[in-house]
Amino acid sequence: KGDPRNLTNTMDVHERYPAWSPDGRWIAYFSDSGGEYRLHIAPQDGRGEVRELELGGAGFYEDPAWSPDSEKISFVDNSWSLFVLDVESGAVTKIGQEPVYGPIRKLSHAWSPDSRWVAYTLATHTNFGRLFLYDVEADVSHEVTQGLSDVAEPVFDAGGKYLYLSASTDAGPARTWFAQSNADIEVTNALYLVVLAKDTPSPLAKESDEEEIEEEEEDGEEQEAEDGEDEASDEEETGEEDGEEEEDRTVIDLDGVGQRIVALPMEPAHYSSLQPGAAGKLFYMKRDEAGPFGPGGPGSLVSFDLESREETTLGSGVAGFALSADTKKLLVTDGNAWQIVDAGAPFSPGDGSLAVSGLQVRIDPRREWEQIFHEAWRINRDYFYDPGFHGADWPAMRDKYAAFLPHLATRADLNRLIRWMCSELAVGHHGVGGGDSLLSAESVPGGLLGADYEVVDGRYRFAKVYGGLNWSPDLRAPLTEPGVDVQAGEFLLAVNGHELQAPDNLYRHFENTAGKLIEITVGPNADGTDSRTEEVVPIANERSLRNRDWVEGNIQHVTEATDGRVAYVYVPNTAGLGHVYFKRYFFPQADREAIIVDERHNGGGLFADYYIDILRRPYISHWAMRYGDDLVTPRGAILGPKVMIIDEMAGSGGDLLPWMFRKLELGPLVGRPTWGGLVGILGFPVLMDGGSVTAPNFAFWTEEGFGVENVGVPPDIEVEQLPAEVIAGRDPQLEKAIEVILEALEANPPVKPERPPYPVRVRK
């Protein structure tokens, strides 16, 4: 109810991560109003003085969490260090820091109900989360778990007796996050409860419903109890205040605490976003599946009750939620809309919808652009991997390019200016994009049939019809679906009854037809005789169809040119799609003697250990079978010569792949030098208007120094793709690779061991 309240009304200041104090009086947030981020604490009603507190961290801050008594705030900076700030004095204490930076973040933190303890996680060097407890009064941290399971998101129960956390024992492969080999790893975790004090029984201990028999009291005993009531009452009154104070404290016996961890009675799934409700209540997100980088997409919001030992699904399609300080209300979002609902009760989409249509912010683009420019500069100052900025005088670069700010006319001009400034770093993987734009238009995709055309007798004729895998949505081919029969050599005569003739623009007839049923008229003759009508559903993009045709055409060509001795495998990147391609095309050809790996146009991604580990598998043994051929181990290995094709359009992970191929002496490289970009990016703060800028923050090096960046990986045999040859349908680089691999097979023909005589185990 009521109208929204703008607490700051700023146009050239970026405010981030607001957090409401538990006592309801204050809003804390990070603001760069002074040119650097500080913690601001403002009255929640927008009236009164706003305090500004220096933080002394690495420059950018996030995840502020108030202590329950509203006297302290814990937060994290961009070096992934955890701090505690005393609100009254402004004193900042650093608690800990992640030892290794990475996208699978481990550092989480939560306060105990009495505000004395902070539970937090730090990762090991193997990226397994460990649980720590920080004693605010003693200024000391205690390690609770040792990193043999992957612990995350510890939170205290509101009653102060327990600590909840999630942990995984199958996350190992996924925690090597930079490795492509974990692309299809599924991670599960489970929820656990830590009993904090030695004398506290487990709330999950086995129970009995056996009846208890009450003994009848003698008359004398009853009288004695009555006589002593007044005296006992007096004693209770004198100790009542002290007793309540002791009861409110969170008592933690660190000795043996690892033996007081018990599992909540739910099957492993993927649990996240743990938040405690009232005593004995826990709220969390639950998903049935999660990949190596954590959950993707919405899930279910669930609550667990310690007393009933049951969980209740409150709502589905939830992207995130937050509990009010009194734990009575939930703020829930599906990623687009928000709703406020009663905590603990099931809800449906739309219940308690939060009206955000009245939220308006006045902006002055030029003032915003100046703030964004300086923020982009600070992001590179605080995130770029080299504190020396490749030799650039970074403050001078800010001043040099800030002179253009008064002359900007559009948001695109600002992106160009930031790009100029950041080009002084002479590094790849640097990008600028997004942001508000006054010029926008809805894109209407055209429809495509998955075909090449030629003009014959004034008509458009199908020169080639691309086949697909119509059981796969990404490879649906409109002209080869069941019930459609269009062949190369036939003419496209009309679309939805409108006659089509050259030089009329073929594609204008397919505007706004992607995914929609249309009619095309086709036939064997340009004059329209013997024509027929086919119903087809055009697609918006033919890239997958054309790529599949190219890949499988290359497989066929290599097979024919080598009499079936050589496999051909294309890897479009070193991430998920490349993982799919390699599995799809390598293993069906794993019985061949040699292999050509084509990584041209490779878009990069991760450390391509998956490809390399399989390509370098050595011969181990054979296994004799009673029937059929002998088995060879390892299975799924090509033991003979190997060649890799590279080009200038392969970069990032596509640089590292051929670099490893050469280092491990797997075979020669054929083609052109790769792009040369091995300073990667991991993620950076969003700009004020939703735009983005990168600051490459992890760089490849060996004992020989930093390498590959701005240089690329040169081939052993350089072959240029001359336009005339490519237009004529030839592939000089592939032809050279075939020549090289056949020469290698001739020079080193594969050795085929002969099966030895069967052993004689019985002597006569």
Side-chain angles (χ1 to χ4, degrees):
K1 301 176 183 178
D3 296 321
R5 176 184 300 145
N6 191 330
L7 295 182
T8 59
N9 287 294
T10 54
M11 287 184 281
D12 53 1
V13 176
H14 200 169
E15 292 115 3
R16 304 174 183 263
Y17 303 105
W20 208 317
S21 64
D23 64 12
R25 299 174 59 196
W26 310 99
I27 306 291
Y29 55 93
F30 301 114
S31 169
D32 71 345
S33 61
E36 298 289 346
Y37 279 101
R38 300 175 181 174
L39 184 70
H40 286 215
I41 300 179
Q44 63 87 24
D45 61 3
R47 302 185 183 93
E49 180 183 357
V50 178
R51 293 186 61 198
E52 298 184 17
L53 301 173
E54 297 282 354
L55 299 175
F60 285 81
Y61 307 93
E62 59 182 292
D63 203 16
W66 286 87
S67 61
D69 60 10
S70 300
E71 295 180 0
K72 294 179 174 60
I73 297 175
S74 56
F75 62 91
V76 177
D77 75 354
N78 56 292
S79 73
W80 284 12
S81 296
L82 176 62
F83 302 87
V84 168
L85 175 141
D86 183 275
V87 172
E88 183 176 355
S89 68
V92 177
T93 302
K94 181 177 177 178
I95 295 178
Q97 182 176 6
E98 290 282 11
V100 180
Y101 202 86
I104 302 179
R105 178 174 178 169
K106 293 293 175 189
L107 206 165
S108 57
H109 52 108
W111 288 89
S112 64
D114 65 351
S115 302
R116 175 177 173 177
W117 298 88
V118 177
Y120 66 98
T121 58
L122 291 178
T124 64
H125 279 83
T126 57
N127 213 26
F128 271 62
R130 295 168 294 166
L131 170 64
F132 290 82
L133 292 170
Y134 173 69
D135 187 336
V136 176
E137 294 181 3
D139 187 24
V140 63
S141 284
H142 305 274
E143 184 175 353
V144 178
T145 64
Q146 286 71 51
L148 292 179
S149 59
D150 187 38
V151 173
E153 298 192 83
V155 292
F156 287 91
D157 183 79
K161 296 180 180 180
Y162 318 117
L163 179 77
Y164 304 104
L165 54 85
S166 69
S168 175
T169 56
D170 66 4
R175 292 305 173 247
T176 58
W177 60 267
F178 194 29
Q180 187 198 21
S181 55
N182 67 24
D184 56 359
I185 295 293
E186 182 178 345
V187 178
T188 61
N189 63 358
L191 296 182
Y192 298 87
L193 177 147
V194 184
V195 180
L196 297 174
K198 288 181 179 180
D199 58 359
T200 301
S202 168
L204 300 171
K206 189 173 181 63
E207 295 178 318
S208 172
D209 58 0
E210 184 177 343
E211 291 286 346
E212 293 185 2
I213 306 300
E214 294 185 5
E215 298 289 343
E216 294 185 5
E217 296 179 344
E218 298 286 341
D219 291 343
E221 291 176 353
E222 186 176 346
Q223 184 63 44
E224 283 183 17
E226 291 175 357
D227 292 342
E229 279 183 4
D230 292 339
E231 183 179 347
S233 178
D234 292 340
E235 291 174 358
E236 289 174 6
E237 286 181 10
T238 58
E240 184 176 353
E241 187 174 338
D242 292 340
E244 286 182 359
E245 186 174 335
E246 284 299 319
E247 188 177 336
D248 289 341
R249 291 187 67 80
T250 299
V251 178
I252 301 179
D253 294 320
L254 294 165
D255 184 29
V257 67
Q259 297 300 312
R260 300 196 300 275
I261 301 176
V262 295
L264 296 187
M266 288 90 75
E267 292 295 319
H270 189 89
Y271 302 96
S272 62
S273 305
L274 277 62
Q275 296 184 38
K281 306 280 187 182
L282 178 67
F283 294 83
Y284 48 89
M285 295 290 298
K286 183 176 182 179
R287 297 171 177 85
D288 293 331
E289 297 180 357
F293 293 99
S300 298
L301 175 55
V302 181
S303 67
F304 178 79
D305 184 275
L306 269 182
E307 183 176 354
S308 66
R309 305 185 183 186
E310 294 180 350
E311 63 176 356
T312 302
T313 298
L314 305 178
S316 58
V318 175
F321 74 99
L323 268 167
S324 60
D326 63 5
T327 73
K328 294 180 179 179
K329 296 287 184 180
L330 282 166
L331 175 64
V332 181
T333 180
D334 61 4
N336 297 304
W338 298 82
Q339 55 189 130
I340 297 177
V341 296
D342 291 333
F347 60 88
S348 301
D351 292 349
S353 293
L354 187 62
V356 296
S357 58
L359 291 174
Q360 291 184 319
V361 178
R362 180 188 174 99
I363 66 169
D364 180 335
R366 291 187 183 276
R367 291 173 66 181
E368 271 197 1
W369 296 345
E370 183 172 0
Q371 189 280 334
I372 291 170
F373 173 84
H374 289 289
E375 181 129 88
W377 179 87
R378 292 200 309 270
I379 288 172
N380 278 268
R381 179 197 67 186
D382 296 333
Y383 284 84
F384 190 61
Y385 85 98
D386 175 14
F389 305 100
H390 285 178
D393 183 340
W394 197 233
M397 294 304 102
R398 174 194 57 201
D399 298 340
K400 173 181 176 180
Y401 289 96
F404 292 93
L405 284 170
H407 306 285
L408 303 183
T410 68
R411 182 61 170 81
D413 287 348
L414 174 64
N415 282 346
R416 186 176 300 110
L417 180 61
I418 295 172
R419 193 174 296 115
W420 289 347
M421 176 178 67
C422 293
S423 70
E424 302 281 357
L425 295 172
V427 69
H429 282 98
H430 206 293
V432 186
D436 288 334
S437 174
L438 299 178
L439 302 175
S440 62
E442 183 180 354
S443 176
V444 178
L448 299 168
L449 297 180
D452 292 336
Y453 305 92
E454 58 186 355
V455 175
V456 176
D457 296 334
R459 292 281 196 171
Y460 287 103
R461 186 169 72 179
F462 293 104
K464 180 174 182 175
V465 172
Y466 288 89
L469 301 175
N470 289 310
W471 45 263
S472 174
D474 293 335
L475 289 169
R476 184 177 66 82
L479 300 180
T480 65
E481 288 190 280
V484 181
D485 183 23
V486 176
Q487 304 293 326
E490 293 189 298
F491 289 89
L492 177 60
L493 302 168
V495 178
N496 280 335
H498 298 286
E499 187 174 359
L500 180 63
Q501 291 184 326
D504 188 13
N505 186 337
L506 165 73
Y507 296 102
R508 75 177 181 88
H509 294 274
F510 291 92
E511 287 184 5
N512 199 25
T513 62
K516 299 177 181 179
L517 185 66
I518 65 170
E519 291 183 348
I520 59 173
T521 303
V522 297
N525 304 308
D527 61 7
T529 56
D530 298 325
S531 64
R532 67 188 187 280
T533 298
E534 299 271 3
E535 290 188 337
V536 298
V537 180
I539 55 179
N541 193 313
E542 294 174 338
R543 178 179 297 179
S544 296
L545 291 180
R546 293 177 179 274
N547 182 259
R548 174 181 175 271
D549 180 80
W550 179 73
V551 170
E552 297 191 1
N554 286 347
I555 292 174
Q556 182 178 355
H557 177 61
V558 171
T559 298
E560 293 172 353
T562 65
D563 294 327
R565 301 174 69 192
V566 179
Y568 169 90
V569 174
Y570 177 67
V571 286
N573 61 30
T574 59
L577 185 61
H579 192 268
V580 169
Y581 268 59
F582 195 89
K583 287 191 298 183
R584 176 170 178 77
Y585 292 113
F586 176 87
F587 293 101
Q589 302 178 78
D591 59 345
R592 302 197 178 185
E593 298 173 5
I595 182 171
I596 295 171
V597 179
D598 190 346
E599 74 116 38
R600 291 176 292 182
H601 290 265
N602 188 290
L606 302 169
F607 173 75
D609 60 335
Y610 178 71
Y611 306 150
I612 294 296
D613 289 348
I614 293 175
L615 291 173
R616 67 191 298 211
R617 286 176 173 174
Y619 169 75
I620 302 297
S621 67
H622 276 79
W623 299 83
M625 313 284 282
R626 180 63 181 270
Y627 302 105
D629 294 337
D630 292 347
L631 290 178
V632 63
T633 54
R635 304 292 294 162
I638 295 177
L639 306 176
K642 299 170 180 66
V643 172
M644 179 172 285
I645 311 177
I646 62 177
D647 73 355
E648 64 274 25
M649 300 304 293
S652 189
D655 288 301
L656 186 59
L657 175 57
W659 188 93
M660 292 189 291
F661 195 85
R662 169 178 286 148
K663 178 180 176 64
L664 297 171
E665 300 179 348
L666 296 181
L669 305 174
V670 173
R672 292 278 295 152
T674 59
W675 171 58
L678 277 188
V679 182
I681 49 178
L682 289 178
F684 311 94
V686 67
L687 299 173
M688 181 192 293
D689 64 350
S692 63
V693 64
T694 65
N697 53 347
F698 71 115
F700 169 82
W701 66 273
T702 68
E703 63 277 4
E704 299 174 356
F706 290 94
V708 181
E709 180 69 28
N710 289 336
V711 176
V713 178
D716 299 297
I717 304 169
E718 186 154 346
V719 179
E720 181 68 85
Q721 295 284 79
L722 296 175
E725 294 187 78
V726 174
I727 292 171
R730 293 188 291 273
D731 187 338
Q733 292 171 343
L734 179 59
E735 294 302 328
K736 188 63 177 181
I738 294 172
E739 176 188 329
V740 170
I741 202 89
L742 287 175
E743 290 175 355
L745 280 170
E746 182 70 23
N748 297 289
V751 177
K752 298 182 178 179
E754 291 187 10
R755 181 197 291 170
Y758 289 105
V760 178
R761 305 295 187 195
V762 179
R763 301 293 181 182
K764 295 183 180 179

